[in-house]
Every structure is written in C-alpha cells, then in structure tokens.
Amino acid sequence: MYRLPSGEEIFVIDAHIALWDASKENQRNVHGEQFINCFYDYHTSLSPKEYWWPKDDFLKYSKERLVKDVFIKGHADMAFFQPVFLNEFYKNGFGNLEANAQLAKEYPNRFICNGTFDPRHGSRGLEVLEAMKEKYDLQGVKLYTADWYGDSKGYKLSDPWAVRYLEKCEELGIKNIHIHKGPTITPLNRDAFDVADVDDVATTFQGLNFIVEHLGLPRLEDFCWIATQEKNVYGGLSVVMPFIHARPRYFAEIMGELLFWLDEDRILFGSDYAIWEPGWLIEKFAEFELPEDIAKETGAVFDDKVKKKILAENAARLYGIDIKSQKEKIKNDKIDRQLNMSKV
Amino acid sequence: MQKEQEVQGKLQKVHDPELDQPLPELGFIDRTIIDENDVEIVFRLPTYWCSPNFAYIMAEDIRLYVSELDWVESIKVRLIDHSASEEINEGVTRGRKFSNSFNGQSDGELEGLRRKFQIKAFYARQDRLVRHLLNNDLLDEKQVIALTVDQLKCLNLSWEGASLREKYLVKKQELMHPEANVYAITDHEGKKISIEELPGYMFGIKSTRLSMEFNGHYCRGLLEARYHLSGKN
C-alpha cells in the first residue's frame, strides 16, 4: 500500500518484474555478457545514483532481495512476472518459470506468473504451452519478438505460426499477451520496432488483450495510433517510468500524449525490476503533476483517480483481481507482518 | 589540421536516422585518423545491440560525405563494440549492399527504411518550426497554412527561427519533387493542410517529434553510461 500526498492509501500492482540469472556461470557466450551489460547501462543511466546496484549484484540476485525491493521497500502489493528466456545467450535461460512459481508458492496472493512462447518452436511448442497452462494456470504470456532462435533473429506476431499460438491462447483462456516492443537486440533491415504486427493481431483476436510493453518506444507515435484504433491494446509503462527522474519534462509530455490518444483505462504501471526499483518510481509517480501547459494542450487530467488506475486498477481488471478482496487476502501474510514490524 | 577540420565538417552532415541529429553531437564519433590522404573514421553506438540497419546507414553516409573531399584517396569506416561490427565494417568499406553483408538475415535493402525516417525527420522539424512561428506570434494559423516556400524564405526570423527554417527546408527538398514544393507547410508529399485539419495534424506531428526526442535522450544516456562519459545523472 502506498499513501498518496492527499493521504489516501492505495493498492499497487507492479505489472512488470523479473527474477533473472545473468551470472558468468550461466552466460553461454559474449552475447549473454553484452546483454546484461546493456541492462546495467539502462540501470545506471536512468536511476538516481543512490539506487545504483554494484554490477555483481545486478548479474544475479536472490529471491529474498526481490521480495524486499518490490514489497517491503518497493510499496507494491502484487507483482507480475514477465519472463524472457534468451536461451541462445544463457545456458539455463535468463528467466526461469520454475523459480518464479516457487516464489509465488512461498508468498501466496502476491504474484502473477506469466509464461511465454516462441512460435518458431512449431507444433512442439504448442504442446509445451498447453502443459505450461496446465501446470502454472497461466493468465498471460510475455513475448519477446526480437529473441534469437537458430538463424532467425526475431519474428512477427502476424507470422502464420504466431497466429496459431494466439489461437491456442484464446482456446486455453490465456487472455493477456504482453509484447516487448521497445529497445531491442539486433533487428535487421526491416524496422523491428515496428508495432504494425500488433495492429493486425489485435483486430483478429478481439478476445485477447495486447499489452505493448515500453509503449513501443522508440515508435511511440505508431503505438499511439494503433491504440487509438484498437480498444484491446494497452500500454505498459516500464522503461518509460524512470524518465520521471532523469527527464521529468519528457515524462510529462509522454503522459500527456498517452492520456490524449488512449485513455486512463489502458495504461499499466511496471518498474521492469531489477533494472529499476519500484520504490522510488512509485514515490515520484504519486507526487507527479502534469505541467499546466501540457495539461492545457492535451486536455489530460492526471489526478489521484487516474494514478490509482495506472498503479493498480487497470492491471487488476485484466487479471480478474478484485482489489478489495485481495487486500483481505494479503492482510497479515508474511510480507504484511514484515511491513508492520518495520513500522514499529 | 585543415584536413581534420574538413573531415569534421563532413561528419556534421551524417545524421542518426532515428534521432535526426549529427553523429559528432551525439558523441558517436570515437576518433578520426588521417594519414596523408587516407582517412579512417572510428565510430561507436549506445549499445552492443543497436540496429545494424541504422548502423549501416550511418556507416554508408560517413563514407559518402567524407569521400566528397577531393583530397581523400581512401576511407575506412570502423564501428567498434557492436554485435555486427565485422559485417558492417567489411561491407561498408567494400561498398557492398546491406543484404549481401547480412546474407540470409535481411529482407531487402535500406532505401525504404531511409525514406521512412526521412519522413519522420521532416515532420519533427516541421513541428518545431510551426510551433516557433505560432508561439512567437509571427504568424497565425491561417497564415501558416497559406505560406509558400518563397514567403517562408523571406520571413524575418530570429537566429533560432532561421536555424529551424533551414533545417526544415533541407529535409523538405530531400523529400519532394520541386513541383510539389510550392507551399511551405505541407505533408510529406507536398499536400496542403486545411484549417480544419490543422489541429489534428499538429497532434500527429508532435508525437513524431516527441518520439524522436525521447529516443535521443535515451541513446545519449546509454552512451554516457556505456563509455563513462560525464553525463547529467
């Protein structure tokens, strides 16, 4: 729970976190090393200096640290895992569904564990997806369309096999499709940031929700255009959030654009932990006000009602979470007791 | 010294297509090595993963502009610390097509991509110019849409305004057939904007500008972090 400057206590969902292992032992090749180096540059270039992690901690961190950073220091009440494997770079994968699930078991009602798929795995992958749904009761998947697989350096959601996987999601009731559209790895001559493939599938699959993580940056304008057309397209704020510290004016400009082109019901907060810690992001977000000129030009309203939607209600709606009963469920659980102890 | 300055002058013309800013200003030029009439340009990018397609365009443009200097006999372009350094350096130095340098991994040439980003840069520059004209009460909305290119050239502008005008007109000329280039504020094909369309149109081009600028801040921050340059943070 986080107390807004107005005094109101609000429920918070961090819709984009990860538990990764990029340790030297797990790196498969130079790409694995360069991938985490790049993450670390994101981390230091946009976090306030007092929140910089030592590089070694950043390579691999414990689940205890995650719980502390996200829930105890981080103000979140729930968090969603958005895993990515990168098997071409890491021996046991960058993320790991089993490790996520174990943590969720240890802390009931605190996590949503999403799965993932890669359409280039063909029919075998469809079976894996089914088994994954069965085992982890998936409600969503995180897709990384720029992931490497064999000779392929990425895919599109509109590729025939990707469409078959989305049909499978619809059939299995996996409703939330999070797509990483943003800074990416080695796209070739087609514009791999292009969000047009989201447009295609959002039209075809009206029963699915498409959450474009990182707002399709650096193609914000294309994302806004698509989201205006397709009502089942959402924007995830991870990667955009830290600008609230580094470039607050730009953060305000982007919020103004989002509220103008989309609406307040289709924007989701995410920290992208461990690249950035949710604690300072939420504190700054709760205090943030739109400068008058931006509010005037876009007609955007950024009040507590909107902040509550972005920080929890929108994500809760997509995942069928009733915030009121969720509050009851987590009352006096392990994390809540720790929080109460630290207040004494 | 003279040669160094001439090379630097040419590098100022090379823009990152996604950011629409000159490479030296972005800090992307690592160093230039001039040995008699042989020039080597070493450049770097904010991440190991930056798109090879855009890197290729930049490398090609470095080669193109530096080769305009008549004393230059050979040019070597070298991208360092990148996942595709080898393919790009080899390809551009030999003057190969992009698709031949990335055999089997690309689906065409770069011309379409170049054009797409020229159009984005055109709109971003137009947004800055039009805002400057309107916000400083130099023209009203009706006058803006009726303005011809010749009239725009004659406007008495501040140093800032004149620089925005020059940048905009360079891009406009790159994109448009001279016959379509009559009115100053048009879409990328030279079509006039009506007064009814203008508000929606302005919102559209603003998001293009913001997206490019946002990306620019991102890339500068990453470059600073990667090479431990003194940054804002």
Side-chain angles (χ1 to χ4, degrees):
Chain A
M1 303 290 283
Y2 189 71
R3 194 181 292 278
L4 293 177
S6 63
E8 187 180 356
E9 276 226 317
I10 66 160
F11 194 80
V12 176
I13 296 176
D14 186 340
H16 200 300
I17 68 156
L19 180 61
W20 68 60
D21 177 4
S23 61
K24 288 254 179 297
E25 300 72 46
N26 195 27
Q27 291 171 10
R28 193 183 285 283
N29 46 34
V30 63
H31 300 312
E33 184 191 350
Q34 290 288 352
F35 186 83
I36 195 68
N37 284 352
C38 185
F39 265 29
Y40 191 68
D41 290 343
Y42 276 99
H43 169 70
T44 56
S45 70
L46 293 172
S47 299
K49 214 163 191 169
E50 59 270 34
Y51 291 96
W52 288 9
W53 290 21
K55 181 73 177 286
D56 283 344
D57 294 4
F58 196 78
L59 293 178
K60 186 182 180 177
Y61 46 94
S62 67
K63 51 187 190 170
E64 290 77 22
R65 171 158 197 173
L66 181 147
V67 168
K68 192 172 154 207
D69 289 342
V70 174
F71 300 106
I72 308 294
K73 282 161 55 192
H75 314 302
D77 298 288
M78 287 187 79
F80 298 178
F81 279 119
Q82 307 288 3
V84 48
F85 292 158
L86 305 172
N87 283 320
E88 303 278 323
F89 300 172
Y90 297 98
K91 293 172 194 159
N92 300 315
F94 186 66
N96 182 320
L97 291 191
E98 197 48 42
N100 296 351
Q102 272 175 18
L103 198 53
K105 207 171 153 194
E106 220 175 296
Y107 296 92
N109 303 310
R110 292 291 185 170
F111 292 99
I112 295 277
C113 297
N114 280 342
T116 183
F117 65 70
D118 186 330
R120 293 164 299 185
H121 294 171
S123 46
R124 181 177 54 87
L126 284 173
E127 288 162 24
V128 172
L129 180 63
E130 242 173 87
M132 214 185 262
K133 164 73 187 176
E134 180 85 5
K135 188 169 178 195
Y136 300 115
D137 189 27
L138 298 185
Q139 295 184 63
V141 283
K142 168 80 188 280
L143 306 181
Y144 200 68
T145 54
D147 201 357
W148 293 8
Y149 181 65
D151 287 337
S152 159
K153 301 279 188 275
Y155 67 90
K156 285 189 176 200
L157 290 178
S158 46
D159 292 346
W161 269 100
V163 170
R164 287 182 65 175
Y165 275 72
L166 291 172
E167 283 166 359
K168 182 58 90 180
C169 285
E170 207 168 32
E171 178 195 319
L172 296 171
I174 302 171
K175 280 196 147 172
N176 299 307
I177 315 295
H178 296 254
I179 318 119
H180 174 106
K181 286 283 182 182
T184 184
I185 48 171
T186 312
L188 285 176
N189 64 329
R190 65 158 184 245
D191 184 12
F193 299 113
D194 197 348
V195 284
D197 56 338
V198 180
D199 199 3
D200 288 347
V201 292
T203 311
T204 314
F205 295 96
Q206 295 284 331
L208 300 177
N209 305 310
F210 293 88
I211 303 101
V212 176
E213 297 296 348
H214 327 312
L215 305 178
L217 284 169
R219 304 285 177 271
L220 176 73
E221 76 273 39
D222 299 340
F223 164 72
C224 284
W225 178 246
I226 287 168
T228 319
Q229 312 292 313
E230 310 292 342
K231 298 302 172 203
N232 53 341
V233 169
Y234 294 72
L237 286 181
S238 54
V239 172
V240 180
M241 278 309 302
F243 265 69
I244 202 167
H245 157 73
R247 303 271 177 185
R249 173 77 195 179
Y250 267 91
F251 182 78
E253 296 256 30
I254 297 224
M255 287 311 300
E257 291 297 293
L258 289 178
L259 292 165
F260 174 82
W261 291 99
L262 283 79
D263 52 63
E264 62 202 54
D265 296 320
R266 290 193 284 146
I267 308 170
L268 276 63
F269 167 75
S271 65
D272 225 329
Y273 180 83
I275 306 183
W276 298 286
E277 290 183 29
W280 66 266
L281 293 173
I282 291 165
E283 287 159 23
K284 287 185 190 287
F285 189 80
E287 277 175 16
F288 200 77
E289 287 178 20
L290 272 193
E292 216 172 299
D293 61 319
I294 293 176
K296 197 174 155 214
E297 189 180 339
T298 57
V301 177
F302 191 67
D303 57 9
D304 283 3
K305 191 173 127 251
V306 173
K307 288 176 186 174
K308 276 159 65 179
K309 285 184 172 182
I310 295 174
L311 285 174
E313 289 168 12
N314 294 340
R317 199 174 58 252
L318 292 183
Y319 281 81
I321 297 161
D322 177 59
I323 290 178
K324 211 171 148 198
S325 62
Q326 199 70 22
K327 277 185 192 167
E328 288 304 312
K329 284 184 197 161
I330 61 173
K331 205 175 249 176
N332 278 321
D333 73 353
K334 253 191 287 186
I335 288 170
D336 199 37
R337 287 201 301 275
Q338 256 194 76
L339 275 167
N340 289 333
M341 292 253 295
S342 61
K343 276 182 199 156
V344 175
Chain B
M1 203 59 209
Q2 168 84 22
K3 284 181 175 173
E4 174 71 33
Q5 273 176 6
E6 285 180 15
V7 169
Q8 287 301 332
K10 290 297 178 187
L11 292 176
Q12 281 295 336
K13 290 184 163 187
V14 184
H15 286 64
D16 179 319
E18 284 184 286
L19 311 178
D20 192 30
Q21 290 172 45
L23 263 46
E25 278 173 31
L26 288 164
F28 289 1
I29 302 295
D30 182 72
R31 58 190 184 275
T32 55
I33 304 153
I34 300 170
D35 181 11
E36 300 285 327
N37 298 329
D38 302 326
V39 182
E40 182 177 355
I41 313 288
V42 182
F43 79 114
R44 59 188 184 185
L45 295 172
T47 77
Y48 179 77
W49 306 105
C50 292
S51 308
N53 44 9
F54 293 114
Y56 212 87
I57 290 177
M58 288 183 248
E60 280 183 339
D61 285 356
I62 291 174
R63 204 183 147 77
L64 178 77
Y65 286 114
V66 175
S67 68
E68 286 174 357
L69 298 168
D70 49 17
W71 55 266
V72 172
E73 281 171 12
S74 81
I75 307 163
K76 197 170 165 192
V77 182
R78 197 149 61 87
L79 170 63
I80 51 170
D81 306 334
H82 191 276
S83 59
S85 284
E86 216 176 293
E87 291 93 332
I88 291 171
N89 297 340
E90 177 75 12
V92 172
T93 300
R94 289 171 185 269
R96 271 195 209 134
K97 284 271 189 193
F98 180 78
S99 57
N100 295 335
S101 301
F102 286 89
N103 210 2
Q105 292 176 13
S106 69
D107 49 12
E109 298 305 340
L110 298 172
E111 283 72 22
L113 193 71
R114 267 184 191 273
R115 168 112 188 142
K116 187 171 169 185
F117 281 83
Q118 274 176 341
I119 292 171
K120 283 178 191 270
F122 164 79
Y123 283 123
R125 292 181 186 201
Q126 185 182 67
D127 181 74
R128 286 186 205 106
L129 175 65
V130 172
R131 273 169 192 274
H132 179 85
L133 297 176
L134 292 175
N135 293 347
N136 293 299
D137 296 321
L138 299 165
L139 296 176
D140 67 20
E141 291 182 345
K142 276 191 184 145
Q143 291 167 321
V144 161
I145 55 170
L147 194 69
T148 64
V149 170
D150 290 336
Q151 286 168 334
L152 173 63
K153 284 180 183 163
C154 295
L155 278 184
N156 191 11
L157 297 177
S158 64
W159 182 85
E160 189 200 353
S163 142
L164 293 174
R165 168 174 63 192
E166 194 195 323
K167 284 186 180 142
Y168 171 64
L169 287 175
V170 166
K171 234 354 119 188
K172 197 171 195 300
Q173 228 141 43
E174 266 175 39
L175 277 178
M176 264 163 246
H177 191 270
E179 277 174 29
N181 219 342
V182 179
Y183 288 99
I185 306 305
T186 62
D187 72 3
H188 67 274
E189 287 166 334
K191 191 178 149 281
K192 243 182 115 177
I193 316 297
S194 74
I195 194 79
E196 293 77 27
E197 289 166 334
L198 191 67
Y201 178 85
M202 287 303 295
F203 264 111
I205 64 174
K206 178 188 166 198
S207 66
T208 301
R209 170 180 63 82
L210 277 179
S211 199
M212 282 187 131
E213 288 178 0
F214 192 86
N215 203 14
H217 288 306
Y218 228 116
C219 294
R220 280 171 187 268
L222 285 173
L223 189 86
E224 282 162 10
R226 188 177 192 198
Y227 291 103
H228 308 288
L229 312 172
S230 61
K232 185 182 163 288
N233 213 320

